[in-house]
């Protein structure tokens, strides 16, 4: 698939923090409807790559196309492109002084300019999707971590994104709460949502992923079908990593 028709196309991406080169010339692509899982040890650059895709981190050099639009071009309306990209973080980033429903409505009202009634309708639809309709009046502090993360997913979906970026969405959760969040992500994948997922959940990558990307030291070491890479990693570094996590 060409760069212009890809959902995300990254070319020759470099990122420095001071003198530390965190991304060393990344070439990477996510096609529409594809679920791409990015794995690797801490410090490998995977979260930095994800954050560059919607310019939460400023690339040092290289090009990033989102649905054919060059978001590294200073002339690009970044806010407009970002409305197409849902982002779910490791920490839930909910407004603590707002109810669940208010958290889902605020960006709809300010960015999408929806009426209050329409925003509430969309919010309720997405709360139902993540199984939390009964929590619309609750404040984040009264929810479990898993519930907060499901609210964060519903909030992102309420903006009607074309694609979703997940940055280790289950790593801050107690083990028994992980499954609820992964089930929502599996449901989104089954519905055809384009997804880029930085994760430690190898079972999810194997079951749901269309492509697995293994990063280490700021480069992509290996990529391919998740089942093949996890069963028969070709690169020695991939083998060493997977032997510790599988």
């Amino acid at each position: 698939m060409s760069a212009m028709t890809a959902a995300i196309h990254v070319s020759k991406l470099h990122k420095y923090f001071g003198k530390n080169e965190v991304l060393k010339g990344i070439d990477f692509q996510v096609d529409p409807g594809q679920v791409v899982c990015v794995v690797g040890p801490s410090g490998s650059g995977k979260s930095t790559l994800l954050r560059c895709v919607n310019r939460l981190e400023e690339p040092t050099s290289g090009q990033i196309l989102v649905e054919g639009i060059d978001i590294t071009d200073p002339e690009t309306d970044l806010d407009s492109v970002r409305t197409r990209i849902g982002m779910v973080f490791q920490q839930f980033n909910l407004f603590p002084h707002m109810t669940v429903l208010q958290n889902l409505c605020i960006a709809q009202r300010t960015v999408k300019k929806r009426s209050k009634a329409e925003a509430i309708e969309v919010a309720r639809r997405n709360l139902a999707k993540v199984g939390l309709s009964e929590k619309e009046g609750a404040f984040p502090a009264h929810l479990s971590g898993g519930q907060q993360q499901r609210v964060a997913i519903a909030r992102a979906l309420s903006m009607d994104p074309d694609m979703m970026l997940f940055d280790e969405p289950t790593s801050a959760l107690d083990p028994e709460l992980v499954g609820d969040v992964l089930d929502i992500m599996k449901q989104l994948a089954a519905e055809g949502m384009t997804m880029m997922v930085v994760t430690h959940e190898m079972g999810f990558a194997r079951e749901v992923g269309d492509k697995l990307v293994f990063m280490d030291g700021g480069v992509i070491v290996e990529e391919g079908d998740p089942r093949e890479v996890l069963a028969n990693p070709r690169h020695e570094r991939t083998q060493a990593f997977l032997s510790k996590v599988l």
Side-chain angles (χ1 to χ4, degrees):
M1 186 167 284
S2 77
M4 295 307 287
T5 52
I8 301 165
H9 182 84
V10 175
S11 177
K12 300 181 177 64
L13 180 65
H14 292 262
K15 173 63 182 176
Y16 284 85
F17 291 105
K19 292 182 179 177
N20 181 24
E21 188 177 18
V22 178
L23 298 176
K24 302 173 180 176
I26 298 285
D27 295 303
F28 174 84
Q29 184 160 306
V30 180
D31 294 332
Q34 200 174 37
V35 177
V36 176
C37 295
V38 185
V39 303
S42 295
S44 58
K46 54 192 189 296
S47 287
T48 302
L49 170 61
L50 188 83
R51 291 169 67 85
C52 283
V53 166
N54 65 356
R55 290 264 309 275
L56 286 175
E57 293 290 356
E58 198 65 39
T60 305
S61 64
Q63 186 183 54
I64 302 170
L65 303 180
V66 173
E67 297 180 328
I69 298 169
D70 184 356
I71 66 164
T72 48
D73 182 343
E75 301 296 307
T76 296
D77 181 352
L78 201 53
D79 290 336
S80 170
V81 178
R82 279 185 177 143
T83 62
R84 309 177 186 195
I85 307 171
M87 180 94 187
V88 177
F89 299 90
Q90 194 171 339
Q91 301 299 336
F92 323 118
N93 294 355
L94 301 174
F95 292 112
H97 62 290
M98 292 183 178
T99 65
V100 164
L101 192 65
Q102 288 168 335
N103 265 284
L104 265 67
C105 288
I106 184 168
Q108 292 190 66
R109 299 292 310 279
T110 55
V111 179
K112 289 274 192 183
K113 307 296 184 212
R114 286 178 176 155
S115 68
K116 183 177 180 182
E118 187 185 3
I120 288 173
E121 183 185 338
V122 171
R124 285 181 170 150
R125 185 168 68 236
N126 284 300
L127 281 175
K129 192 182 194 97
V130 301
L132 290 173
S133 294
E134 77 286 359
K135 298 293 185 183
E136 70 170 51
F139 288 91
H142 299 143
L143 303 177
S144 71
Q147 289 171 331
Q148 289 188 61
Q149 192 61 293
R150 283 150 63 197
V151 170
I153 293 171
R155 176 180 58 184
L157 292 174
S158 293
M159 300 297 284
D160 298 326
D162 295 344
M163 64 193 75
M164 293 281 285
L165 309 181
F166 292 89
D167 189 4
E168 300 190 18
T170 58
S171 63
L173 302 180
D174 293 333
E176 69 269 22
L177 303 175
V178 167
D180 291 340
V181 173
L182 293 179
D183 285 345
I184 303 297
M185 294 169 66
K186 289 174 189 173
Q187 181 187 336
L188 291 176
E191 292 168 1
M193 176 65 79
T194 305
M195 293 160 61
M196 180 177 169
V197 185
V198 171
T199 185
H200 295 294
E201 301 291 338
M202 298 301 158
F204 174 85
R206 184 189 290 110
E207 183 184 342
V208 182
D210 298 303
K211 181 162 74 173
L212 183 73
V213 174
F214 172 66
M215 288 184 68
D216 189 36
V219 299
I220 293 175
V221 176
E222 188 167 341
E223 62 182 291
D225 181 286
R227 289 150 287 279
E228 288 177 19
V229 175
L230 292 171
N232 298 297
R234 295 187 305 275
H235 197 282
E236 198 175 294
R237 184 66 192 90
T238 320
Q239 293 167 10
F241 173 76
L242 291 176
S243 72
K244 292 189 176 77
V245 299
L246 289 179

